[in-house]
Structure formats: C-alpha cells, structure tokens
Amino acid sequence: MNLTHPFLDADGDKLREECGIFGVIGIQEAAALTALGLHALQHRGQEAVGIVSYDGHEFYTRKGLGHVAQVFSNQQIFAELPGTMASGHVRYSTTGGSGMRNIQPLFADLAAGGFSIAHNGNISNAMHLRNELVRKGAIFQSTSDTEVIIHLVATSRFPKLLDRFVDALRLVEGAYSLICMTPKRMVACRDPLGIRPLVMGRLGDAIVFASETVALDVTGAEFIRQVEPGELVEVTPDGTITCHRPFGEPAARPCIFEHVYFSRPDSIFDNKSVYAVRKEIGAQLAIESPVEADLVVPVPDSGVPAALGFAQQSGIPFELGIIRSHYVGRTFIQPSDGDRTSGVKRKHNANRALVEGKRIVLIDDSIVRGTTSLQIVQMMREAGASEVHMRIASPPTQHSCFYGVDTPERSKLLAAQMDVEAMRQFIHADSLAFVSIDGLYRAVGAEGRNNARPQYCDACFSGEYPTPLTDLVEREAKAAQLSFPVNKVA
Ligand code: AMP
C-alpha cells in the first residue's frame, strides 16, 4: 500500500497492491527459475515485476512495468542476474504513474551487507511507523509500506541480522508474507496470523518459497509444507534449514478471500484445494438458495468452479453461456467505471444460441462495485434469456481490505450501500442470493464460522479486522479534527 493516502500515491496516482512472491536458494540460474515461478503467480500481480539475484559477491536487480514475459522477455536478461539465490515479486495495482520506485523486491545496503525484501500483504501501521522514522531522520526512497521494514531492520539495536529482523517485525501490524535475502541466507516468513499465503518446496538440493503451490508445480519443485503463521524459515547456501517461531503460536487467521477468488484454483491454500473449496461453495449456494432454471452459467473464469458445484448439487446442467476472450486483461483494474464497463463487454460475450429462451442461473465469485454483474445480466437478457438469476459464491463484500487484497473504498462497495433486494434491482436480476458466511465456512471444511474465534480473516464480509488498523484510526481522527472548524462554522 502506498503511504500518502489510502488510494493515492505521492504523484496522485492510484496504487493498490496485490502481490505474488517467489524465492529460490541453491540452484544455478536462480533468476530464470524465479521468472518461471513468477509467471505462475502472474494472476496475483499484473502491473510490475522485479527480480533480485545474488552470486556470492554482489546483488543484481532487474525491474520493470508489465507482465513477467514482457520484462523478462529473453534468455540473455538472465546473464545479468547471475547467482544461485534469487527472489522476485509481481505487483498488481491500478493504472497511472511510473511507480518504478515501488517495484519490489526492495534492496538496501545495510551495515551488515545487502538486504532485499519481497512482500505480499499490507502493513496497517506503516504510515505511523514511517512518520516516526522520518522524524528521526530516515530518508525513504519509495512510498511502499514495505520500506518501513528495511528502516526498522537498519535501526534495530540487536547485533545479529535475524534478531534485528524479528525486532522490526514486532513493531509491524497487518499482513506480511516476506522473502528476504542477505549475503548469508534467504529468510521467508509469515505474519503471526498467516493472513497471506506462503509455501515451501524442494527442487533437488534447492529450497523454493512461493505465494502459491502452483508456482512449485510449474517450476518442478516438490511441495514440502506451508510456512506456518508466525514462522520464520532461514535457509543458508549449503541447504541448512532453521525454523523459528519468534511470535509463539497464535491462532491463525488466513484470508478466506484467497479461497473465494484470489488464489489459482490449482493451488493448495491452507492445506485445502482451492478448486475443491470453490466447488463446495457452489454446492452450498445450491442448498441454501435453490432456483428453478434450465442452465447454470458461470461468469468466466472466476465463477467456473462454483458453477460446477452448483450444477452438480442442483442437477441443473452446467453450460458455457458466456464465452471469454483471453486477449483482454482483468476488467477490475480499469480506472473508471466507463472503462470498466466497456472492458466487461470486450472480455465476455453471450453464447446466444445456447441461452435464448432459457432460464439462467449465473454464478460469479463476488460482487464488488456491481459493474460485472450489471453487464452480464443485461448481456444474458439481450441474448434472449427468459429469466436471469444471480448466485454469488461469497457473502456480500461490505468492507475494504487493509491486508493486501485490492478492494475499493467502502463507499464504492455495492453491498456497503444496499441490501440484497436493492442490489438485485440494481443489477436487474430476477433473483439474487449470496452464500451465507456459515455456508462459506462449511465449504472450507468447518462446521460453520466460530464467531468467538473465527478461523479465517473474513473482514471484507464481517468487518471484523483481526489486527489493529492504526493508520486508518489515526487518519480518521485527523480528518475529524480537520473537519471540526468547518462543521462549527456551518
Ligand atoms: P465488480 O464488477 O466491481 O462488481 O467486481 C466483481 C468482479 O471482479 C468479479 O467478477 C470478481 O471475479 C472480480 N474481483 C473480485 N475481487 C477482486 C479483486 N480484489 N481483484 C480483482 N478482481 C476482483
């Protein structure tokens, strides 16, 4: 997250981040393998990519805006990133601005040597920490929350780097899965609640870390296990692995939205198949909100597994009533609603011959602003569907995420503004239903949500944030102070 405004960077550009990270130690051409791993994580970040490598003497960096295949477009590039240790990062933000200085991994020369850091997540007290550091004389190079960790490591009073790192993390609130490199080791860690994912694998003698298991599959690495919430795994060039639990073993709160939308369906998240969970959410929806219809139609690609589950549970045939063009980027990242609307049209087209005269159940994973649902329902009607029912494979998204999933400010979330009936009218559907929060928890294998001790972070649905949101609280307090005289005059 950038630190000048929740949605604007210093240049006034929109900058909301979602990320994927990958690292490997103990293999020739580590940077090329990292590019391959990042390619498998491209869905987590499509705007910028960076790789840092280390060859036993020096660190080397290459970063650029664009997809992995564009920035690392030929084999010669890897000659400039030599070494047996490398880590990389893909970032997803909205449009605008060069943003080059925020591309990760970030790198700094500390007193103890080089230090690189790749971060997936979002630090919810980064602004607070940054202000304190700046007051003490720190000079920041980027507007990224991640840079705060570098400064905290640099200024810690502990002599050993690992202790300095833990010392820094103790001050940090929010979500972080990190892959760091120093001349002597790679360190991977997850925040104490394990909000964002991180897994560990083995490729011959090399150890690999990645945001999702799909990156292990693609690079040929064997899945060992997930990095546990609050765990810090240290790997030295000779392959020695040391695990630390500096934060004890608090109850984990992994992000349930990884299951709903964010992770690839062929990944294993929190030791469960994302695909199987999504299908089961669809089955739960069919049980909770059945409807008489002729066809179950997924909104591609995000609604496909849930639609299969809905179809299998209800006995209504699954059909591809919407065909997706694979040559259009994600519509969600278009800056204005107008752009997003035409983006949806370019991306999806009705399979008219199939849907004409049919009662359709449309399935998508979520409604955020409502742009996609509105367009798709209309598209089905224009193609001659006699009824259009919408079923959503998550509860209403009523709250913003402060932990690294891109959601707009609350005022733009349809479900924060309207109840389900008003949303139904807004998207012009014949009926609209969302899976219940307990239905979602059943799909991940629980009996339901444990309201006293929720098993996941579901803040986007429940509004219950599992960590303090210091920056938000301070920002709101400041806004309240600033608006006081105005209110008084008014
Ligand atoms: P909207 O059109 O604004 O209602 O957004 C809903 C669509 O965006 C759904 O089809 C989702 O698959 C997709 N979506 C939901 N959350 C996100 C996210 N955080 N980033 C990108 N796409 C998303």
Side-chain angles (χ1 to χ4, degrees), residues 18 92 257 261-262 299-303 330-333 340 344 348 364-374 397 405-408 412 414:
E18 293 173 328
Y92 169 40
F257 200 69
Y261 172 80
F262 205 40
V299 177
D301 294 324
S302 49
R330 282 162 85 164
T331 47
F332 200 83
I333 63 174
R340 246 190 324 273
V344 172
H348 297 115
D364 203 359
D365 67 289
S366 57
I367 293 181
V368 181
R369 301 177 191 82
T371 324
T372 308
S373 312
L374 179 65
T397 303
V405 167
D406 172 31
T407 40
K412 295 211 172 105
L414 198 65

Side-chain angles (χ1 to χ4, degrees), residues 1 42 55 115 124 182 216 225 267 338 359 378 454 458 487:
M1 177 164 157
Q42 188 77 81
D55 68 354
F115 181 79
S124 57
T182 75
L216 304 182
R225 64 175 175 83
S267 280
R359 296 169 299 169
Q378 191 186 341
D458 55 16
N487 290 342

Side-chain angles (χ1 to χ4, degrees), residues 91-309:
R91 191 185 84 193
Y92 169 40
S93 71
T94 52
T95 55
S98 75
M100 281 296 282
R101 63 194 173 139
N102 287 328
I103 302 179
Q104 297 194 25
L106 300 180
F107 177 80
D109 267 312
L110 305 183
F115 181 79
S116 84
I117 180 164
H119 172 202
N120 174 207
N122 190 59
I123 298 170
S124 57
N125 65 339
M127 192 58 162
H128 176 88
L129 293 170
R130 183 184 172 113
N131 288 342
E132 273 183 16
L133 287 158
V134 167
R135 254 196 306 276
K136 288 181 194 157
I139 298 168
F140 279 76
Q141 304 285 321
S142 74
T143 56
S144 157
D145 58 338
T146 311
E147 195 182 345
V148 165
I149 299 178
I150 296 185
H151 285 273
L152 291 174
V153 172
T155 51
S156 167
R157 281 173 296 110
F158 285 89
K160 286 196 186 148
L161 191 100
L162 210 70
D163 295 332
R164 298 169 83 99
F165 188 50
V166 172
D167 189 35
L169 294 182
R170 284 192 202 286
L171 297 173
V172 165
E173 291 167 0
Y176 53 86
S177 284
L178 303 171
I179 299 177
C180 302
M181 299 194 301
T182 75
K184 290 194 186 138
R185 56 177 76 79
M186 175 168 278
V187 180
C189 76
R190 269 174 102 190
D191 64 76
L193 302 178
I195 296 175
R196 301 259 73 84
L198 192 62
V199 295
M200 186 174 167
R202 187 184 297 281
L203 180 61
D205 293 333
I207 295 297
V208 178
F209 295 100
S211 293
E212 291 182 38
T213 58
V214 63
L216 304 182
D217 296 342
V218 168
T219 53
E222 178 198 340
F223 174 58
I224 302 177
R225 64 175 175 83
Q226 66 170 358
V227 175
E228 295 301 332
E231 186 182 31
L232 203 140
V233 181
E234 187 190 357
V235 188
T236 48
D238 65 1
T240 306
I241 302 174
T242 317
C243 303
H244 310 262
R245 298 300 289 258
F247 311 110
E249 296 192 17
R253 296 285 297 274
C255 165
I256 205 157
F257 200 69
E258 291 280 347
H259 273 308
V260 168
Y261 172 80
F262 205 40
S263 285
R264 250 174 69 156
D266 45 346
S267 280
I268 308 289
F269 171 58
D270 194 34
N271 300 318
K272 290 163 203 84
S273 153
V274 174
Y275 180 78
V277 167
R278 283 184 194 164
K279 266 186 83 178
E280 188 51 37
I281 303 175
Q284 292 292 328
L285 251 178
I287 294 166
E288 291 181 353
S289 303
V291 58
E292 280 201 16
D294 304 309
L295 303 176
V296 173
V297 170
V299 177
D301 294 324
S302 49
V304 173
L308 274 168

